[in-house]
Amino acid sequence: MIGSLVSTGASTVTEFISQNIFGLDDPNWFMYLLCGVIAAVLVLHVIAVGALFFIWAERKIAGRIQDRLGPTRVGGKFGWLQTLADGVKLIAKEDFIPRDADAPLFKIAPYIAFAASFAAFLALPFADGAVAHHVNTAVFFVLAVLGLEVFGVILAGYASGSKWSLFGAMREAAQVVSYEVPLGMCVVIPVFVAGTMNLTTIGEMQAGWFNNWLVFHDPFTFIAAIVYFTCATASVNRAPFDLAEAESELVAGFHTEYSGLRWSFFFMAEYGSMFLVSALASILFFGGWHPPIPIDIWILEAFADPDLVAAGPLKDAVPSLVTFLVMLIGIATLVAKSVIGVVVMMWVRWTFPRLRIDQVMATCLKYCVPIAAVCFVGSMTWETLDLPSMNTINRYEIHEDWSEDLAVSTVGEDGVDPEWPEDENDDESSEVMDGEEAPIEEDSVAVQNGLSLQEGE
Amino acid sequence: MGILAAVNRVYWHEFFFMLFAGISVVFAVCVLLTQNIVRMAFYLVLSLGSTAGLFFLAGAEFVGAMQLMIYVGGTLVLLIFGVMLTAQQRYVKMNTHPTDWVLATIVGGSLLVLLIGAAAGVDSWKDASASKKALAELDVDDARTATPLGLALTGVRVDKLDSDDPALANGQSGYLLPFIIVSVHLLVVLIGAAYMARTKRSATAPVGRAERARLNIMQMEHETDDVVYSASKQSSSSLLDSDQSQAEESTDEAQE
């Protein structure tokens, strides 16, 4: 009964819900709406519940690092309900707009920051199949949308009609625009190694033991992961890069004039972005939803139907409920990795002193950009020359699902492969043949080109 | 259920196209009508953002994300400069001269005529039912464009593989050369920008001193009144002398 409830093949949460909970193959608009709302609410709760937990964790961690206890009274021994108490306090506060403020922009700015942070989650896969909207260029989409968060901050800084706010916003703008350069460079490295911008595919390419994680691909990706994390910390405006809200000099920076719920929206956005960049780091460098020990693969193998194993991917050979279980394990793994990332950010915040604005810029332009550039060239060279790597997975066997559709459309009706230029064939196949587990020659060429062409014979 | 059936007949793709296009146009007009420079930038971002929504609706996710990154990000920088240069209250309002209106109307109007002409030239758009049918056949999932675009930029056009021309069918019809030219161009611009922006600390100090000395001399000439502007030769030679003496002084200081 339950087994039939959970079927495979759903590529997004929306499809999953419509197929399995409502049993619809071709849902009508109402079901689409309902499923879309469920997916959106799930994603929203990643931010909302995440903020609830992270604010408590931040207080606790700050307290412990400073040799205090942190919250202890609200909600039992550990102060679990401290955030809820904070929330009630914020709701009870007066929603205040200064006289010199540009009222419409002042009101809308927190929502822009929050919406940008929220929208970036739409393309973020939490496991294979657990993504709100399957975007082919998810890496690019997430970075583009995340960059919009600063827009809310700048609007807030300008619209407050206060010098403190304006200074904070200007600093934030300069900082984010600068740090997008090394951040983008670091993100391009795993994209290059994986050969795709699809986050689901990049995650699937790191299955197995932890040595398959892209951070262990070569020394350069290892350094790039560290640089990425530094730049991500700066781009979500966390200490030691929190110049936009430097209390010592700017009162509270861009949110000086905000109070109550509007203020809290900025913080929901900040914690949302922290979680997002950590999740992105997990997917790009730290194996995504695959645990360090391949528990998910073991489960799949234990339940696999031996007749079907040879036919296709392991996932198609197991009962659908097992696939669902593995997906849940994947979600838990990714969330755990992201929480570790967020906790490291908090640890850094309460350990290092805040940098000066010129030091922030120097860190970006004099250190992060050159290091990222060197890592980019280095890891390209490593991949091209096929130097020894800790990764043992054959990445060319994993490709995006759309490529099969394209292969059908490009291969002629008689099933004959289109002819590829001869010289290209030679170059690329020899390159692949050098690898340990080179697949059949023709296949490798096709996959190298992003196409999985059906073999003629 | 009557309402449900009615809603089911609405063509939702068309509806969202209208929605995004409407937002885009309305806020573009708002950019024209407002005078506050920051609000202008805000409306421009909304207009460009809903254009990105149109791209996503068409299944061109890469182009949509590109639109967000380049145009919305670029407007962001515009906004920063707008605020930085005009933060004082009297500059925040932008007043347009009537001549600007005339010029802008000519330019914008001719572009509009051109675009309407081009749009009217598309045959399949004239027949509404035909375009709906074509749209229904189009599978949005197939329109995932990033990898074909990337392959085209590196020299392989996957959409030309079944072309009659053998050169095109081999996939040798990509945009490698334009891509390289644009890349090199951008690299040159980046290096140029870095060169212009670098601090010329070592070079500026002596020049600054000479400049200061020159200004002092000119002031002295004005005060003494016996050197007039016609005696330019004399003054320039005296300037040279003073520069040399200044340089000697500085070397003396350095030695000390």
Side-chain angles (χ1 to χ4, degrees), chain A residues 217-279:
Chain A
H217 178 264
D218 59 65
F220 296 106
T221 49
F222 191 84
I223 300 169
I226 298 167
V227 177
Y228 169 84
F229 203 74
T230 312
C231 296
T233 312
S235 73
V236 298
N237 192 25
R238 285 288 294 186
F241 303 101
D242 62 340
L243 270 296
E245 44 187 294
E247 295 96 342
S248 51
E249 45 209 89
L250 291 184
V251 187
F254 67 91
H255 56 73
T256 307
E257 307 293 341
Y258 279 89
S259 64
L261 267 185
R262 287 186 206 286
W263 179 85
S264 71
F265 267 105
F266 280 118
F267 275 82
M268 299 251 268
E270 182 178 322
Y271 284 102
S273 314
M274 279 164 69
F275 187 84
L276 185 82
V277 292
S278 302

Side-chain angles (χ1 to χ4, degrees), chain B residues 160-238:
Chain B
K160 295 267 181 178
L161 289 177
D162 46 1
S163 168
D164 293 334
D165 188 346
L168 294 182
N170 278 343
Q172 296 170 334
S173 55
Y175 306 109
L176 189 56
L177 185 65
F179 180 65
I180 299 248
I181 290 173
V182 171
S183 322
V184 172
H185 183 209
L186 281 177
L187 184 67
V188 168
V189 169
L190 271 178
I191 294 172
Y195 177 77
M196 302 281 277
R198 97 206 142 102
T199 33
K200 306 178 185 75
R201 201 174 294 132
S202 56
T204 45
V207 172
R209 290 183 95 170
E211 203 66 31
R212 226 176 298 136
R214 188 171 299 161
L215 285 173
N216 283 341
I217 298 282
M218 280 171 78
Q219 204 173 4
M220 275 162 61
E221 283 169 358
H222 273 288
E223 279 168 9
T224 48
D225 267 345
D226 50 8
V227 182
V228 281
Y229 291 112
S230 57
S232 58
K233 218 180 218 174
Q234 197 187 339
S235 69
S236 65
S237 65
S238 73

